């Protein structure tokens, strides 16, 4: 069994440090004081009436020890020695007393000084996972702790935002998986209720099951892509122009089905990237440009470099995105028109994946409307 580690409170820690400093100072001052006294105290060396009278007067005046009349050299020496011993004794007692008073005062003052820290700790401790909206309010210590409280509020803002995103993501994933499973189960139940189902009914049900299975596979692939977004190396030299040309060839079937014209205008542009993940990002952008485009529409892709930035612009003549929806399109599971998106396909993860991949590569992605109709996606990536 692991022994429990004893923890010293901050107050006690500050007190111990202060006492250590105080002890060193007291020892040094005591040594200096006693050493100075040792050098300056008057000791009898020889006896004559004039010296004896002078030393007796000094002892009476400054030390306060009564001296008998006409003391001998031995008596005078003994009285001086007693005075020295008394001085040392009371000096040490005084130093120890002041040292002990310093410890007590340090502990008290430290407690008063750290009272705002305790108050801040209690306010932070009152925030629970069930109520992440609570913030540190009404706290003002007039020092660095105010900045610390503001930093904690900013931290809580980020935690709450991340928690809400995760919560929304989990709910969206559950909903998107539940929908195809419900469709499959419903059609299988209908087929099972038919005592003499025809071949056509079986084929229709199998077609539905296959379609929904493909949909779930795509969703799982997207979820897996999001899971591994922060777990890949960015070490390859990638030509953006070659990458986009390869993707357009892969999507040739969808382009030809809608009779879409695609033009890629490029200047040489090389970046340091993970080719697989970057291909996934641009594939999602081009797939959306095809999916939401009109018949006989067009897609124009521009690649150019300036100031060590590779700028990729993908403009289509599709249905576009409303101004309200444009602010949310990079959020997981967000779809402007869910019924329309469900017919076309997709779970609303594509652009969220694009954003994460681009940002992992040190770049940015943003959307602009393509007047009079369509969308423009702009990706900027650092050149190696």
């Amino acid at each position: 069994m692991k022994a429990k580690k004893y923890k010293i409170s901050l107050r006690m820690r500050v007190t111990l440090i202060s006492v250590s400093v105080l002890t060193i100072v007291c020892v040094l001052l005591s040594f200096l004081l006693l050493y100075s006294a040792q050098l300056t105290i008057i000791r009898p060396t020889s006896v004559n009436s004039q010296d004896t009278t002078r030393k007796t007067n000094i002892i009476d005046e400054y030390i306060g020890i009564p001296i008998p009349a006409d003391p001998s050299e031995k008596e005078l020496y003994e009285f001086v020695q007693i005075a020295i011993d008394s001085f040392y004794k009371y000096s040490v007692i005084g130093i120890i007393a002041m040292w002990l008073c310093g410890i007590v005062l340090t502990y008290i003052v430290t407690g008063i000084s750290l009272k705002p820290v305790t108050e801040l700790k209690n306010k932070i401790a009152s925030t629970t996972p069930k109520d992440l909206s609570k913030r540190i309010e009404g706290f003002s210590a007039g020092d660095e702790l105010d900045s610390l409280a503001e930093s904690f509020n900013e931290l809580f803002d980020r935690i709450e935002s991340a928690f809400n995103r995760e919560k929304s993501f989990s709910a969206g994933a559950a909903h998107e998986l539940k929908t195809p499973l419900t469709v499959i189960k419903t059609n299988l139940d209908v087929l099972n209720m038919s005592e003499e189902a025809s071949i056509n009914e079986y084929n229709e049900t199998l077609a539905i099951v296959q379609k929904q299975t493909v949909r779930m596979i795509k969703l799982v692939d997207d979820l897996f892509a999001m899971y591994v977004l922060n777990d890949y190396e960015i070490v390859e030299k990638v030509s953006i122009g070659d990458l986009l040309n390869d993707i357009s060839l892969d999507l040739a079937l969808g382009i030809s089905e809608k009779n879409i014209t695609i033009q890629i205008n490029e200047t040489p542009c090389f970046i340091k990237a993970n080719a697989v993940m970057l291909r996934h990002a641009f594939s999602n952008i081009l797939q959306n440009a095809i999916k939401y485009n009109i018949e006989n529409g067009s897609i124009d892709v521009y690649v150019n470099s300036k100031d060590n930035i590779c700028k990729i612009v993908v403009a289509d003549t599709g249905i576009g995105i409303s101004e309200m929806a444009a602010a949310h399109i990079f959020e997981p599971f967000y779809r402007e028109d869910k019924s329309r998106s469900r017919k076309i396909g997709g779970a609303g993860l594509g652009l969220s994946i694009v954003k994460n991949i681009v940002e992992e590569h040190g770049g940015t992605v943003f959307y602009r409307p393509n007047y009079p109709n369509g969308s423009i996606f702009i990706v900027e990536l650092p050149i190696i």
Side-chain angles (χ1 to χ4, degrees):
M1 182 177 178
K2 188 176 180 179
K4 184 177 179 180
K5 188 176 180 181
Y6 179 73
K7 295 182 179 179
I8 301 177
S9 66
L10 179 61
R11 181 180 182 182
M12 182 58 68
R13 196 177 307 158
V14 173
T15 300
L16 291 175
I17 294 173
S18 301
V19 168
S20 299
V21 174
L22 181 64
T23 302
I24 294 173
V25 172
C26 286
V27 169
L28 292 176
L29 287 176
S30 301
F31 175 79
L32 180 62
L33 177 64
L34 297 178
Y35 181 74
S36 300
Q38 184 74 18
L39 293 177
T40 57
I41 260 182
I42 299 174
R43 297 176 182 275
T45 54
S46 62
V47 180
N48 58 59
S49 59
Q50 184 178 357
D51 288 344
T52 301
T53 303
R54 183 174 66 84
K55 292 173 182 177
T56 302
N57 293 335
I58 291 174
I59 293 173
D60 285 336
E61 180 177 357
Y62 293 101
I63 301 178
I65 300 176
I67 304 295
D70 300 325
S72 65
E73 180 181 0
K74 181 178 179 181
E75 290 175 331
L76 183 61
Y77 183 85
E78 289 177 351
F79 277 106
V80 171
Q81 191 62 45
I82 292 172
I84 293 173
D85 293 343
S86 298
F87 174 77
Y88 285 164
K89 180 178 72 173
Y90 289 115
S91 295
V92 171
I93 292 174
I95 291 171
I96 293 175
M98 293 301 295
W99 179 72
L100 292 175
C101 290
I103 293 176
V104 175
L105 288 175
T106 300
Y107 187 77
I108 294 173
V109 172
T110 301
I112 296 173
S113 301
L114 294 179
K115 187 177 180 181
V117 177
T118 304
E119 182 183 351
L120 180 61
K121 181 200 73 172
N122 294 334
K123 286 182 176 292
I124 294 172
S126 65
T127 303
T128 63
K130 294 182 179 179
D131 185 17
L132 291 175
S133 62
K134 191 173 182 180
R135 295 293 179 268
I136 300 173
E137 297 177 348
F139 177 84
S140 178
D143 52 20
E144 292 83 353
L145 290 179
D146 291 350
S147 299
L148 183 60
E150 292 176 4
S151 298
F152 270 111
N153 283 336
E154 293 173 1
L155 175 62
F156 289 149
D157 288 340
R158 293 194 294 270
I159 292 175
E160 183 182 18
S161 178
F163 182 81
N164 289 337
R165 285 197 303 269
E166 292 296 326
K167 187 177 179 181
S168 177
F169 180 84
S170 300
H175 175 75
E176 291 297 331
L177 286 170
K178 181 180 178 181
T179 300
L181 289 172
T182 301
V183 173
I184 291 173
K185 185 177 184 304
T186 301
N187 282 273
L188 290 176
D189 288 342
V190 171
L191 183 64
N192 189 48
M193 290 172 60
S194 179
E195 296 180 358
E196 296 180 1
S198 64
I199 297 298
N200 288 336
E201 289 176 329
Y202 275 108
N203 290 336
E204 289 176 2
T205 302
L206 287 175
I208 292 172
V209 171
Q210 184 179 21
K211 179 181 178 181
Q212 298 301 322
T213 302
V214 170
R215 179 181 172 185
M216 284 190 293
I217 291 174
K218 177 65 169 60
L219 174 61
V220 171
D221 287 342
D222 285 343
L223 291 173
F224 181 74
M226 294 197 73
Y227 177 76
V228 300
L229 278 178
N230 299 321
D231 191 26
Y232 57 84
E233 294 183 341
I234 302 176
V235 294
E236 302 170 70
K237 182 179 179 181
V238 177
S239 169
I240 294 297
D242 293 343
L243 182 66
L244 291 171
N245 281 302
D246 288 344
I247 294 173
S248 65
L249 292 175
D250 292 340
L251 301 176
L253 179 60
I255 294 172
S256 62
E257 284 180 350
K258 283 192 171 183
N259 195 28
I260 294 173
T261 302
I262 182 168
Q263 294 287 337
I264 299 179
N265 308 283
E266 60 167 301
T267 56
C269 194
F270 295 89
I271 69 167
K272 186 177 181 180
N274 182 291
V276 174
M277 299 307 294
L278 201 61
R279 184 186 187 91
H280 191 74
F282 283 111
S283 180
N284 282 350
I285 293 176
L286 289 174
Q287 283 180 25
N288 283 346
I290 297 169
K291 186 187 301 182
Y292 297 104
N293 214 324
I294 59 174
E295 295 288 339
N296 304 313
S298 65
I299 301 173
D300 293 305
V301 182
Y302 303 91
V303 180
N304 60 73
S305 59
K306 184 179 180 181
D307 298 329
N308 293 324
I309 295 295
C310 183
K311 187 175 182 179
I312 305 98
V313 179
V314 180
D316 65 62
T317 56
I319 58 179
I321 301 171
S322 69
E323 184 178 351
M324 182 180 296
H328 305 282
I329 56 175
F330 293 106
E331 297 175 6
F333 297 108
Y334 181 83
R335 290 174 298 189
E336 182 178 7
D337 187 334
K338 294 184 178 180
S339 61
R340 181 182 66 187
S341 297
R342 190 167 288 116
K343 291 177 183 178
I344 297 176
L349 288 173
L351 291 178
S352 177
I353 293 174
V354 169
K355 183 175 185 291
N356 286 331
I357 293 175
V358 171
E359 289 180 349
E360 282 294 314
H361 284 78
T364 58
V365 56
F366 47 95
Y367 164 84
R368 286 180 181 171
N370 186 20
Y371 297 106
N373 295 302
S375 301
I376 299 176
F377 285 91
I378 303 171
V379 178
E380 295 180 347
L381 295 165
I383 296 176
I384 57 175

